[in-house]
């Protein structure tokens, strides 16, 4: 599969088969995702694979902002919590910001890593969807995250039980401009 085929073929999957996802396969996907670029190669993204009772608790108690996300999480065999190590991306060694964007770079790094994770999962035959609507404080508490970590996104993962069509895309003329 070429990179273009992977990018064009991947869809947000919200319905999954009950088949479990092997821990070895998840490790391979994270190894591939570890090649995502990051600010000054800080590699701040960390993944937590969640299964069983804790996954169900997150689905039931951590999705009040948008309850349909609880159904998606409950339906997936595994949930990936995407976290970042705080105060590294966008910072100098002395703790000062490198740019006016402050700590905004950590979200950029987490976004690149999340998309890379989803593309690597797709290449392995898995479906995924990046969720941003959830009770961040409640889920972080359930995960018992250390103080130096921030929860950024949740990614339900599993073998797809749907094949959505590609949504319409804006034409290149709307997306690209040139200046001279």
């Amino acid at each position: 599969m070429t990179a273009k085929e992977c990018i064009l073929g991947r869809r947000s999957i919200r319905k999954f088969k009950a088949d479990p996802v092997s821990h070895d396969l998840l490790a391979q996907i994270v190894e591939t995702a570890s090649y995502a670029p990051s600010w000054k190669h800080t590699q701040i993204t960390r993944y937590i694979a969640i299964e069983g009772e804790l996954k169900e608790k997150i689905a039931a108690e951590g999705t009040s902002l948008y309850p349909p996300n609880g159904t998606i999480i409950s339906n997936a065999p595994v949930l990936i919590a995407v976290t970042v190590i705080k105060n590294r991306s966008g910072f100098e060694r002395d703790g000062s910001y490198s740019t006016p964007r402050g700590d905004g770079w950590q979200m950029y790094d987490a976004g690149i890593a999340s998309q890379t994770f989803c593309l690597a999962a797709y290449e392995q035959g898995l479906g995924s969807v990046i969720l941003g609507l959830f009770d961040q404080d409640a889920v972080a508490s359930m995960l018992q995250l250390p103080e130096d970590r921030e929860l950024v996104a949740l990614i339900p993962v599993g073998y797809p039980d749907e094949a959505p069509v590609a949504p319409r895309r804006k034409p290149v003329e709307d997306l690209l401009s040139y200046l001279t």
Side-chain angles (χ1 to χ4, degrees):
M1 175 182 305
T2 66
K4 184 174 182 175
E5 290 168 336
C6 194
I7 292 166
L8 295 179
R10 188 209 162 269
R11 299 281 169 272
S12 291
I13 300 298
R14 294 173 176 87
K15 294 180 183 173
F16 304 93
K17 296 178 181 174
D19 304 347
V21 176
S22 84
H23 292 187
D24 287 341
L25 184 55
L26 282 175
Q28 289 174 34
I29 292 165
V30 169
E31 181 180 21
T32 300
S34 75
Y35 282 81
S38 62
W39 175 271
K40 294 186 178 181
H41 198 56
T42 51
Q43 302 180 70
I44 61 166
T45 305
R46 300 292 185 270
Y47 307 92
I48 303 169
I50 307 155
E51 301 170 310
E53 289 180 25
L54 182 56
K55 180 182 72 76
E56 294 307 321
K57 182 176 180 176
I58 291 169
E61 299 174 22
T63 59
S64 60
L65 289 173
Y66 186 69
N69 281 347
T71 303
I72 296 167
I73 291 168
S74 189
N75 182 253
V78 65
L79 176 65
I80 301 295
V82 180
T83 71
V84 294
I85 299 172
K86 298 188 286 188
N87 303 323
R88 287 196 188 163
S89 185
F91 289 84
E92 294 299 319
R93 291 191 186 276
D94 66 6
S96 65
Y97 293 132
S98 299
T99 75
R101 294 210 185 271
D103 67 356
W105 284 104
Q106 71 185 21
M107 292 300 285
Y108 191 81
D109 286 355
I112 295 169
S114 295
Q115 176 68 354
T116 304
F117 177 93
C118 290
L119 290 170
Y122 175 71
E123 182 185 37
Q124 295 294 333
L126 296 174
S128 62
V129 60
I130 300 171
L131 304 178
L133 283 174
F134 56 90
D135 185 334
Q136 185 173 348
D137 291 337
V139 176
S141 176
M142 288 181 230
L143 296 175
Q144 300 177 359
L145 291 182
E147 284 294 317
D148 72 335
R149 294 264 199 106
E150 181 177 335
L151 176 61
V152 175
L154 297 174
I155 305 177
V157 177
Y159 293 95
D161 199 19
E162 65 177 344
V165 297
R168 189 177 67 78
R169 297 295 194 239
K170 294 181 188 280
V172 171
E173 296 78 29
D174 290 353
L175 302 173
L176 175 65
S177 60
Y178 292 93
L179 300 174
T180 56

